[in-house]
Amino acid sequence: PQRPNYPKPLLKRKLTPMRDPAQKRTTSTRKVFQEASATEMPQTGKSSMRLQPSRSGTGSRKAATSGNEVSLNVEKVTREGACVATLQSGFPQSYIDLFYLTHGKFSDLEIRTESDITELKERLTNAEKLFQEGDFPESFRVYHELGGYFEKTRENYDSATYFYKRCDELAGKNQLYSEQTTALVGLGNCAYKTSNIESAINFYEKGIKIAEFHDLKHSLYTISKSLTEVYRLEAEKLEFNGRTDEALENYLKCLEAAKTSEDKIAQGNACYQIGLIFFKKEEYEAALEYLEEYLKHSRAVNYTEGITNALAKLANVHQAMGEIQTAIEELEQLNKEASDNDRQEAQAEATLNLGLLYQQQENHDLAVNYLRKHYELARKLQDRTLIDSASVSLGMAEAACAASKFSELISDDFEKLLEWKVKRTKF
């Protein structure tokens, strides 16, 4: 029978950070994979598993003989029959694979239609035949396309992982290092999509080691993008569970992976999280280093929210270190940035902290001035809790300001005190 002409994989970029590699042909006589890409993957659409059956396909057909139509009944394709035929044809591995796929080894996978069974049988036997002939790159390609089909089209990650593992083993044994990184990306993607972040990290890290050892620069770059994401997710989980030191370790790995993939935004975000952890650990010098790096990255891409966040946290660190004047300077910058970019929440935070710091320094006029601005901003934000808190802070500052002036009046200007006693004029 004539073998179907399988379509070549198409490139398609998607939004999620986990992606399989782009596979391209580099020669006309031998098909070789590019290095692994975590952001581009071979698109195995539904059409690739819905091909027209071969001329010896199932069902019934009519053939013209001597001008007369003769009805030909072809034996129906069944799962059991296809498995037996595969084994009888001398393809034991394909028999095992087809049996698993059609008899429920993989959860929620239904391979029951005649066309699906026929196509799977042909693909599996083709891959095994290529393997038997020693054409390992081409055998890898067919198995990898099967993995891509089950991952992307069927979203059955158990069966996709089954074939990606086959690809990893095949490529590793035959020193196809670029292809092996491709298989490991597929395995990492499946683990990521099933929320098995630790396994995803293991697969990607194995791919990184191979890429580094064999100087596969493109693989190193693209797998690092995936590692940046999974390190971040793992760090967030550990931090949420109170495992701060382990979270810090993963954020630092995230930062290194982001540097390798030249992802400036991810670098900045990692620096911010690292700075916050060092601040919680009261390691203020280290916190300043990473928060200042975050501020630099945010300014480089004109990321206003990042700039205001960095300035606010830097002020907190300087205040904790007892460097009040430096903290005030950071807050003044924050107030200006927030005002220029109409970020009222950040401006409300800046004016509140400025008012409280000036109050600590007994600069009551400036304290009242900033706390009044804070109260006005709270009213604009229509946040009842914030309004109540701002009202209390302003009232206390005004009372302290009045008390301070009264104290000065008593000690420094007795005549003005007498005038006030008589006329109750304002200070």
Side-chain angles (χ1 to χ4, degrees):
Q2 180 179 349
R3 190 166 66 186
N5 181 24
Y6 294 110
K8 294 180 180 179
L10 303 176
L11 295 178
K12 185 174 181 183
R13 192 176 188 87
K14 294 202 173 182
L15 295 177
T16 54
M18 307 294 108
R19 286 295 178 266
D20 267 1
Q23 315 297 341
K24 293 183 180 179
R25 306 288 186 265
T26 56
T27 65
S28 59
T29 58
R30 191 171 188 81
K31 300 171 182 175
V32 183
F33 274 61
Q34 278 192 337
E35 295 176 26
S37 168
T39 56
E40 296 179 333
M41 61 196 312
Q43 182 65 27
T44 310
K46 292 184 179 180
S47 61
S48 65
M49 289 296 287
R50 293 291 179 192
L51 305 177
Q52 293 296 323
S54 60
R55 296 184 183 276
S56 60
T58 63
S60 63
R61 60 182 175 142
K62 294 182 178 181
T65 306
S66 302
N68 297 321
E69 291 188 353
V70 179
S71 178
L72 299 178
N73 293 321
V74 180
E75 183 180 355
K76 182 179 180 180
V77 174
T78 64
R79 294 178 297 165
E80 292 77 9
C83 290
V84 171
T86 300
L87 185 60
Q88 289 176 340
S89 299
F91 300 107
Q93 184 60 60
S94 299
Y95 161 74
I96 294 171
D97 297 340
L98 187 61
F99 184 87
Y100 281 167
L101 290 168
T102 57
H103 287 76
K105 173 179 172 61
F106 305 109
S107 59
D108 302 323
L109 181 63
E110 294 288 336
I111 303 292
R112 296 187 180 277
T113 66
E114 292 186 9
S115 59
D116 281 351
I117 294 170
T118 300
E119 290 167 27
L120 275 175
K121 175 177 175 292
E122 290 181 357
R123 284 195 173 210
L124 290 167
T125 54
N126 181 37
E128 188 172 0
K129 181 180 179 182
L130 290 166
F131 181 84
Q132 292 172 351
E133 292 172 350
D135 192 348
F136 302 124
E138 194 64 13
S139 177
F140 176 95
R141 181 187 66 81
V142 178
Y143 279 130
H144 190 271
E145 285 181 356
L146 279 167
Y149 165 74
F150 286 114
E151 179 194 352
K152 300 296 295 179
T153 305
R154 300 299 290 265
E155 295 185 355
N156 189 282
Y157 303 117
D158 288 340
S159 49
T161 297
Y162 178 79
F163 285 107
Y164 287 145
K165 285 183 177 178
R166 174 79 50 75
C167 291
D168 178 30
E169 182 180 355
L170 188 158
K173 287 183 177 180
N174 294 281
Q175 299 180 343
L176 304 173
Y177 301 117
S178 178
E179 285 88 339
Q180 190 175 12
T181 60
T182 297
L184 290 165
V185 167
L187 288 166
N189 290 346
C190 289
Y192 169 79
K193 290 175 181 178
T194 54
S195 300
N196 192 343
I197 302 302
E198 289 186 18
S199 291
I201 289 173
N202 291 335
F203 287 127
Y204 292 136
E205 285 182 338
K206 182 179 177 182
I208 283 288
K209 288 178 182 178
I210 294 171
E212 287 177 339
F213 188 82
H214 296 284
D215 196 27
L216 304 174
K217 290 183 173 58
H218 185 64
S219 294
L220 188 64
Y221 174 86
T222 52
I223 298 175
S224 293
K225 278 189 169 292
S226 297
L227 269 174
T228 301
E229 174 67 6
V230 292
Y231 280 143
R232 180 187 65 81
L233 291 173
E234 184 67 9
E236 288 177 353
K237 182 187 76 173
L238 291 167
E239 188 175 12
F240 179 79
N241 292 328
R243 297 160 65 180
T244 306
D245 291 337
E246 294 171 80
L248 177 60
E249 182 182 347
N250 277 273
Y251 279 129
L252 289 167
K253 289 180 179 179
C254 176
L255 177 58
E256 290 305 311
K259 288 179 180 178
T260 302
S261 61
E262 300 176 1
D263 188 336
K264 299 294 185 183
I265 293 176
Q267 289 177 47
N269 291 335
C271 286
Y272 181 67
Q273 297 298 334
I274 293 167
L276 292 184
I277 290 181
F278 277 125
F279 177 67
K280 291 176 184 176
K281 292 166 67 70
E282 299 184 359
E283 297 181 30
Y284 298 128
E285 294 293 340
L288 284 176
E289 176 187 347
Y290 285 100
L291 289 172
E292 285 171 356
E293 191 70 16
Y294 175 60
L295 177 61
K296 183 177 74 174
H297 282 295
S298 297
R299 289 195 186 281
V301 296
N302 197 27
Y303 179 40
T304 303
E305 184 177 355
I307 293 169
T308 54
N309 284 342
L311 290 170
K313 298 305 178 186
L314 283 167
N316 289 343
V317 176
H318 285 298
Q319 185 178 355
M321 296 173 71
E323 300 172 352
I324 303 302
Q325 189 54 45
T326 307
I328 288 175
E329 291 171 5
E330 299 283 7
L331 289 170
E332 292 283 9
Q333 285 189 58
L334 170 59
N335 185 44
K336 185 179 184 306
E337 290 279 356
S339 177
D340 291 346
N341 293 280
D342 195 28
R343 295 188 59 82
Q344 292 183 347
E345 290 185 4
Q347 192 178 1
E349 181 183 3
T351 51
L352 172 61
N353 286 307
L354 280 167
L356 295 176
L357 285 177
Y358 279 124
Q359 193 170 353
Q360 288 179 19
Q361 292 187 323
E362 298 185 353
N363 191 334
H364 300 293
D365 289 333
L366 281 175
V368 170
N369 181 42
Y370 277 112
L371 290 172
R372 185 173 287 117
K373 289 180 180 178
H374 172 66
Y375 176 71
E376 292 168 358
L377 287 164
R379 293 188 64 183
K380 287 181 181 179
L381 292 169
Q382 298 182 343
D383 185 330
R384 173 50 56 186
T385 302
L386 189 61
I387 292 171
D388 292 342
S389 174
S391 177
V392 171
S393 297
L394 177 59
M396 293 175 66
E398 288 177 336
C401 184
S404 174
K405 289 185 177 181
F406 183 70
S407 176
E408 291 174 4
L409 191 63
I410 292 174
S411 59
D412 299 333
D413 197 337
F414 188 70
E415 290 182 4
K416 186 173 285 189
L417 173 62
L418 290 176
E419 182 183 351
W420 173 78
K421 290 288 288 182
V422 172
K423 299 181 180 181
R424 295 291 179 177
T425 55
K426 291 185 178 181
F427 293 138

